[in-house]
Amino acid sequence: MNPIFSEMLKNIPAMQKKAEVNTLKPGQMVSGKVSVLYPNNQALIHIGSAKVHAQLETSLTKGERYLFLVKSTGDQIHLKVVSDPRTKENAITKPLGFQLSKHAEQLLNELFKKEIAFTSHQLQKAASLLEQAGNKAEAKQVLLEMFARKLPIHKPVFEALLKRSRISLSKQLNELSSSLDSKPLFTASDKRMSPLLSLLKGQDPLPFSEFIVQKFNTEINDHSTASFRLFQKAHIISDQYSFSAFQENVKWGETATPPNGTGRTPQLTLKDFPFGSQNPKQIAEKIIDLFTKQLPFSEQEQKVFTQWRTLLESLLKPSITSAKSSSIDLHTSQNQLMQLYQQLQEFHSFEKILPFFKGDDAILFKQAVERLPQVLSNEKSGAFQSGLFSLLEQLKAIDLQQVPKELKVPLAEWAGHAIHESQPGIDKHIFLVKMKTVMNLLGINHEALLKESGDSLENVSTVKSNLMQGLNDSASLIKPDAAKQLLHFLNGLQLTAHQETNQTIQMTMQFPGGLLEIADDIYVDIQGRKKRDKIDPDFCHVMFFLDLKSLKETVVDLKIMNRRVNLTVYNEDKRTAQAVEKHKESLHAGLDALGYTLSNVAIKSMSKASEKKARPGNQLNYGREGLDVRI
């Protein structure tokens, strides 16, 4: 691997966060610069990105930088000068009360320079972890990241981040897959793991029709209703069916034995099921449609949205709005609707729903949301009310297709298989579906899924959950060391996927190369200005790190400032300029359709990329076309 490219990958997660004044706690140490001196030992101290009025215990020199101990916080922060690093060489380490090795001193100096807060106890534990590590430079970078992200300085966290920095996800998935390939699988976790690994590698070992049959065979025998419920949500199975009626309507035939407790697996085909008249591609397209229509709502948010949508629909029915005898109930319902409306505004729910409407419907939806209070209070707004019915029908359809939390991962697995049947190849839409599928199936949010599913693993089958179960089963073909290594890796991804300050948000993601049909991992670093607890798409920055088949190591650097896009591609291959120029016009058109302006496109060598520092970012959609990838 190109050493410059390798070095850039190491620096992806390092958005070193300076100390934030509102998060400082008594007992922490942090470096700060004296900006202004006031009488009575008061001063304006520059700490991190903020300036704070502090009460000092000794006189200081304006413009100098010191190491402070936070004595107390509140209306005024009380600081004690621990040391002035310019007075003597060991001035920073001397007040700690314990000896530091050369490597630990280097770590402490980095914390001082980067203005990262720490406690004496944390530093002592970090020093111990550093001394036990083989690669001191690598360990030091991991520990700096732990301090910056305010992660616990514990060995399991350290090991998780260390594994993440050393190991390729694609390679680990390939090794696990090899241990399960062409071998009889005896444990439930191994049987569930094998198809998951294939999907994450960008493959599908079974034709989709065979996967449908196999999945339903297994769930009918296990009395699981997960896939049955999903097929009803996707309008593949009629809502009129109960699960027992569905089982009875399966054509078991002479070659099939229905579930009877003997453990025998029915030998069925797709045509034996009540939905068998639909071809596999039709079924796949309905599943993908269901998957892409899932709203990014929390459970509470979904509940409020359903209540709001149902109540709004009832209020706009002429039979209710014209009923004079129920004017008191109508007034109560309107008040209740507005309360729900305010809650959805606080959740920013309407912004999340807007992308599901296109063209004129999107404009009408925005107007409806803005004018809803006036619509409800103005009896003469009937003309506008009538225009809402088509929107309400669409909202109802979207609402009814939302799947409960315990079915999110099963749906992702179905979508992963369906995408191969419905749309072979790679484009923007397929890439985004695959990306969402990977995030669900890896189990990055495994603990949250367990909590939402009532601590039940019945319908939560992820790589992480199956690894954890396999560790407790000696019959598993996955070796314990390999399972623990990948678990550490996934924990590392989970710990570093998201960080934020008062002004910015950073997302760091790593995907297996199978997403783009390449061998090595895809790294994405997204940073941006915080707006309503999200990355502001108008002021952001994104960097893709790719090892492509033809162009090899490539960095795609996208900056957005006030919706003006500056794109730079770093690569050593001479064909890069030709490939980018070929798609420049379609890039212009695509960005223009989204309301962005392409201000500049540049091709530079990798050595130029190594000189750059990360800045805020946002998502970049791209798909396969031509030489390697179309931006």
Side-chain angles (χ1 to χ4, degrees):
M1 180 180 287
N2 185 318
I4 297 175
F5 186 78
S6 178
E7 186 63 27
M8 291 177 69
L9 286 181
K10 291 179 182 178
N11 291 328
I12 286 179
M15 184 183 89
Q16 304 294 359
K17 293 197 295 184
K18 296 182 178 181
E20 295 178 356
V21 173
N22 61 349
T23 63
L24 289 177
K25 298 177 182 178
Q28 285 186 321
M29 297 182 191
V30 65
S31 66
K33 184 177 180 180
V34 180
S35 298
V36 182
L37 291 172
Y38 299 112
N40 302 319
N41 279 344
Q42 293 192 11
L44 184 66
I45 310 294
H46 198 155
I47 298 177
S49 58
K51 293 182 178 180
V52 58
H53 287 272
Q55 179 68 50
L56 306 174
E57 295 189 2
T58 186
S59 59
L60 301 179
T61 304
K62 180 182 176 181
E64 297 294 344
R65 181 173 294 279
Y66 299 86
L67 183 65
F68 295 99
L69 172 68
V70 181
K71 299 284 286 184
S72 64
T73 58
D75 294 336
Q76 192 173 43
I77 296 178
H78 288 256
L79 301 175
K80 177 182 179 181
V81 177
V82 176
S83 63
D84 177 356
R86 296 192 234 241
T87 56
K88 55 178 71 178
E89 190 174 342
N90 65 344
I92 297 178
T93 61
K94 188 176 180 180
L96 295 173
F98 55 88
Q99 292 294 319
L100 291 178
S101 68
K102 180 183 72 172
H103 298 292
E105 280 193 27
Q106 292 172 353
L107 173 64
L108 175 57
N109 283 320
E110 286 296 313
L111 293 172
F112 181 85
K113 291 176 184 176
K114 296 180 185 296
E115 301 176 6
I116 298 173
F118 63 93
T119 67
S120 176
H121 180 62
Q122 286 176 324
L123 184 62
Q124 197 167 13
K125 290 201 292 186
S128 175
L129 291 171
L130 186 56
E131 289 310 302
Q132 296 171 38
N135 187 328
K136 305 297 184 186
E138 181 184 40
K140 186 177 72 173
Q141 289 302 316
V142 168
L143 287 166
L144 278 173
E145 185 179 355
M146 291 169 68
F147 277 109
R149 292 179 184 270
K150 299 180 175 62
L151 297 175
I153 311 299
H154 293 158
K155 190 173 182 179
V157 178
F158 176 71
E159 289 179 343
L161 297 188
L162 208 57
K163 292 292 184 185
R164 182 219 58 193
S165 66
R166 287 177 177 173
I167 305 170
S168 161
L169 175 57
S170 299
K171 183 178 179 180
Q172 289 185 90
L173 295 177
N174 287 333
E175 289 176 354
L176 286 185
S177 183
S178 298
S179 67
L180 299 178
D181 284 347
S182 305
K183 298 174 184 176
L185 305 178
F186 300 105
T187 68
S189 60
D190 284 358
K191 290 176 181 178
R192 289 192 296 265
M193 180 70 91
S194 184
L196 288 182
L197 292 174
S198 296
L199 287 179
L200 292 170
K201 288 163 54 184
Q203 304 167 355
D204 199 341
L206 286 176
F208 189 55
S209 58
E210 291 185 27
F211 173 75
I212 296 171
V213 173
Q214 186 183 87
K215 191 72 170 175
F216 272 95
N217 275 343
T218 301
E219 293 194 5
I220 287 173
N221 277 295
D222 293 344
H223 305 288
S224 171
T225 63
S227 294
F228 170 77
R229 292 161 64 194
L230 287 174
F231 271 46
Q232 284 192 320
K233 286 282 187 182
H235 304 301
I236 300 168
I237 297 176
S238 170
D239 291 338
Q240 305 302 315
Y241 266 118
S242 64
F243 184 61
S244 58
F246 169 75
Q247 288 178 292
E248 292 173 3
N249 278 274
V250 175
K251 299 174 183 177
W252 299 106
E254 297 179 2
T255 61
T257 303
N260 56 10
T262 63
R264 296 177 63 184
T265 302
Q267 302 300 312
L268 302 172
T269 66
L270 186 59
K271 292 182 179 179
D272 293 321
F273 290 92
F275 52 80
S277 61
Q278 303 175 59
N279 65 52
K281 187 171 183 179
Q282 289 175 318
I283 295 172
E285 288 173 348
K286 289 181 179 180
I287 290 171
I288 295 299
D289 183 64
L290 177 66
F291 184 73
T292 56
K293 285 184 176 176
Q294 296 307 299
L295 294 167
F297 283 178
S298 65
E299 197 166 7
Q300 176 62 23
E301 190 176 0
Q302 178 62 48
K303 183 179 178 181
V304 172
F305 171 66
T306 299
Q307 292 174 340
W308 173 81
R309 195 258 320 156
T310 305
L311 188 55
L312 178 61
E313 185 178 31
S314 68
L315 284 171
L316 292 179
K317 288 180 180 178
S319 59
I320 294 180
T321 55
S322 61
K324 302 295 183 181
S325 59
S326 59
S327 59
I328 296 177
D329 292 338
L330 177 61
H331 181 71
T332 302
S333 296
Q334 288 180 340
N335 286 338
Q336 184 182 354
L337 184 74
M338 290 310 301
Q339 290 175 5
L340 295 170
Y341 171 82
Q342 290 297 332
Q343 289 183 56
L344 292 175
Q345 289 280 38
E346 291 171 7
F347 284 133
H348 308 298
S349 304
F350 298 117
E351 294 176 19
K352 301 173 187 176
I353 298 169
L354 183 59
F356 291 85
F357 293 96
K358 306 299 180 185
D360 292 341
D361 284 342
I363 296 172
L364 180 59
F365 179 74
K366 289 178 71 174
Q367 291 175 345
V369 170
E370 292 169 359
R371 293 178 56 185
L372 184 62
Q374 290 80 9
V375 170
L376 293 176
S377 61
N378 187 354
E379 295 182 1
K380 296 180 180 181
S381 58
F384 186 74
Q385 286 182 353
S386 63
L388 296 178
F389 280 110
S390 63
L391 290 180
L392 284 172
E393 288 302 313
Q394 292 182 65
L395 284 172
K396 183 177 181 180
I398 293 171
D399 188 21
L400 294 177
Q401 283 197 296
Q402 300 309 299
V403 303
K405 294 292 183 181
E406 69 271 13
L407 294 183
K408 294 288 186 183
V409 171
L411 176 57
E413 183 182 5
W414 273 105
H417 287 278
I419 200 70
H420 290 277
E421 178 72 27
S422 66
Q423 300 181 50
I426 296 177
D427 65 12
K428 180 184 75 172
H429 173 72
I430 293 173
F431 177 74
L432 291 175
V433 170
K434 285 187 173 184
M435 188 169 68
K436 291 179 182 178
T437 300
V438 167
M439 296 297 288
N440 278 280
L441 297 186
L442 281 176
I444 302 298
N445 58 342
H446 172 74
E447 288 76 14
L449 287 169
L450 281 180
K451 183 178 180 180
E452 291 166 352
S453 302
D455 294 327
S456 170
L457 284 173
E458 179 184 359
N459 295 319
V460 183
S461 176
T462 65
V463 169
K464 192 171 185 179
S465 67
N466 288 316
L467 287 173
M468 294 171 70
Q469 290 181 68
L471 282 172
N472 296 320
D473 194 333
S474 59
S476 173
L477 295 178
I478 298 176
K479 295 180 180 179
D481 286 347
K484 290 177 182 178
Q485 179 171 276
L486 184 51
L487 279 173
H488 278 310
F489 182 91
L490 294 176
N491 288 335
L493 287 183
Q494 183 177 0
L495 288 167
T496 58
H498 176 96
Q499 66 171 320
E500 60 183 89
T501 67
N502 290 333
Q503 294 83 30
T504 62
I505 297 177
Q506 180 188 26
M507 300 289 291
T508 304
M509 295 171 282
Q510 185 172 347
F511 300 98
L515 277 179
L516 288 177
E517 300 176 5
I518 56 180
D520 213 344
D521 290 352
I522 300 164
Y523 300 84
V524 186
D525 185 54
I526 304 171
Q527 299 180 40
R529 187 173 73 177
K530 184 191 290 188
K531 182 180 180 181
R532 296 176 180 173
D533 295 325
K534 293 183 179 181
I535 291 175
D536 184 352
D538 295 347
F539 294 89
C540 49
H541 176 255
V542 65
M543 294 185 78
F544 281 88
F545 296 78
L546 310 166
D547 191 357
L548 302 171
K549 286 181 180 179
S550 298
L551 297 180
K552 304 304 178 185
E553 289 94 347
T554 304
V555 177
V556 180
D557 186 339
L558 182 80
K559 297 183 182 69
I560 301 176
M561 294 292 290
N562 199 23
R563 301 187 78 82
R564 295 182 63 84
V565 180
N566 188 315
L567 174 66
T568 305
V569 178
Y570 297 93
N571 186 277
E572 303 299 331
D573 196 301
K574 294 180 180 179
R575 297 170 296 171
T576 304
Q578 182 182 357
V580 172
E581 186 64 32
K582 178 181 177 181
H583 301 294
K584 199 171 180 179
E585 188 175 334
S586 61
L587 176 60
H588 266 290
L591 288 171
D592 186 63
L594 295 172
Y596 291 85
T597 302
L598 182 63
S599 61
N600 185 54
V601 177
I603 313 296
K604 297 183 180 180
S605 68
M606 195 69 71
S607 58
K608 295 291 184 182
S610 66
E611 300 169 3
K612 301 194 71 62
K613 295 181 180 180
R615 293 176 188 165
N618 189 35
Q619 293 179 341
L620 174 66
N621 300 327
Y622 59 92
R624 180 92 181 267
E625 185 178 297
L627 192 62
D628 263 312
V629 172
R630 177 170 61 84
I631 307 300

